[in-house]
Amino acid sequence: MMTTREQLVPSSKLTLNGAAEAVPPYAWFGVSAVFHYLGPSFAVLLFPAVGVLGVAWFRIASAALIFAPFTKPWRTIREADAKTRLLLVGLGTCLAAMNTAFYLALDRLPMSLVAAMEFVGTIGVALYGLRTRRNALALLLAMLGVFIMIDLKGSTDALGLLWASLNGALFVGYIVLGHKAAEDGANGGVERLGAAMAIAFVILMPIGFSEAARAFGAINLVLAGIAVGLCSSVIPYIADQLAMSRLPRQTFALCLAILPATATVIAAIVLAQIPSLQDILGVALVIAGVAVHSPPKASEG
């Protein structure tokens, strides 16, 4: 027997909400953590052939194209109220700028360093929701691990560090706006994400299209660019929405500490960027911090 809510809402609309409820949110976060750097590691391999801004364009353009049929961004934007439209524009602008800064940083710095700096900005988000000594210890461990991995003395590329810092700041914006988009469930969050991705595509069109156009004559490069978008901005961002719809913002922010660890492992496998003992120590401390962290009770979220 269908409930009243199920009778009013088509089954396709319940799919993402059902998936978010059926699977532990940390599992969805794990999917996001893997693909968050698997896609970019493939993107780095495309930089020589397509260009940094060209790859950024392919990432956003292919993601917008994949999202469009099932999220219907034109309808979401048309039916949204003024406050929601402002959220969509903010998230779309953040996605366009964040992904561009991220790739410009990756062009100059090791992925593990960019990932570690990406997490620094989220420390403040995690600190905002800090309530127990156990979580204070968890945050301290994670921070120590990240700063061990950053080792700014080991990098003299000031421009690369600037792009990585900008990416880290924008990543905080993505967490805040992404959580806002997921407030009424995973389905609504993904629909808003699709609309924001379409807006990001419009913003990035004049910036990266000329470089991306160089690849249009090679089908293998076009397919590789689409694969980057699927792995970087479709699978992980949907997984983020499924996790964000269940996890408090501060808990999600602290869990992001595992990203430097996944980035280090993936960079070693795909890009042959072998971690040092210092990197391994940093990864171990980050994982320890995530393991020690205790999520808030429902009444605290």
Side-chain angles (χ1 to χ4, degrees), residues 32-285:
S32 173
V34 171
F35 279 93
H36 192 83
Y37 291 107
L38 183 61
S41 66
F42 295 143
V44 171
L45 300 177
L46 283 179
F47 285 171
V50 184
V52 177
L53 295 179
V55 175
W57 183 90
F58 264 113
R59 171 175 177 169
I60 295 294
S62 57
L65 182 64
I66 293 170
F67 273 118
F70 68 93
T71 63
K72 297 180 174 57
W74 53 89
R75 185 187 63 190
T76 302
I77 295 172
R78 184 182 68 246
E79 296 178 355
D81 57 27
K83 184 177 180 180
T84 302
R85 285 179 183 170
L86 184 61
L87 170 65
L88 296 177
V89 172
L91 183 55
T93 303
C94 183
L95 289 172
M98 179 180 71
N99 290 329
T100 301
F102 180 52
Y103 282 167
L104 288 169
L106 285 182
D107 190 41
R108 294 173 170 271
L109 301 173
M111 184 179 292
S112 59
L113 174 55
V114 176
M117 293 186 67
E118 190 171 54
F119 172 70
V120 169
T122 68
I123 290 176
V125 179
L127 186 62
Y128 178 79
L130 197 62
R131 293 185 176 91
T132 67
R133 291 182 179 179
R134 176 173 172 175
N135 284 352
L137 174 61
L139 189 58
L140 179 62
L141 289 171
M143 287 175 60
L144 181 59
V146 167
F147 282 112
I148 285 176
M149 293 181 69
I150 287 179
D151 187 20
L152 291 177
K153 295 179 182 179
S155 178
T156 58
D157 193 322
L159 185 57
L161 293 173
L162 175 64
W163 287 123
S165 298
L166 177 60
N167 172 64
L170 290 166
F171 196 50
V172 174
Y174 166 69
I175 295 170
V176 174
L177 295 174
H179 251 92
K180 191 71 176 174
E183 275 185 346
D184 62 350
N187 185 72
V190 172
E191 285 187 351
R192 294 186 183 104
L193 176 62
M197 196 65 71
I199 292 171
F201 170 67
V202 172
I203 293 172
L204 203 57
M205 174 62 79
I207 299 173
F209 178 76
S210 59
E211 280 196 6
R214 298 184 309 188
F216 288 172
I219 187 63
N220 60 320
L221 292 179
V222 172
L223 292 176
I226 294 173
V228 166
L230 177 65
C231 292
S232 302
S233 291
V234 177
I235 296 175
Y237 287 173
I238 288 178
D240 279 349
Q241 285 297 311
L242 293 170
M244 285 177 176
S245 68
R246 298 275 309 280
L247 293 175
R249 187 169 65 193
Q250 64 270 19
T251 300
F252 184 86
L254 185 59
C255 286
L256 289 170
I258 203 171
L259 293 184
T262 58
T264 299
V265 173
I266 290 172
I269 296 173
V270 179
L271 302 176
Q273 295 178 356
I274 307 302
S276 64
L277 290 177
Q278 180 175 324
D279 292 328
I280 294 173
L281 174 60
V283 168
L285 288 170

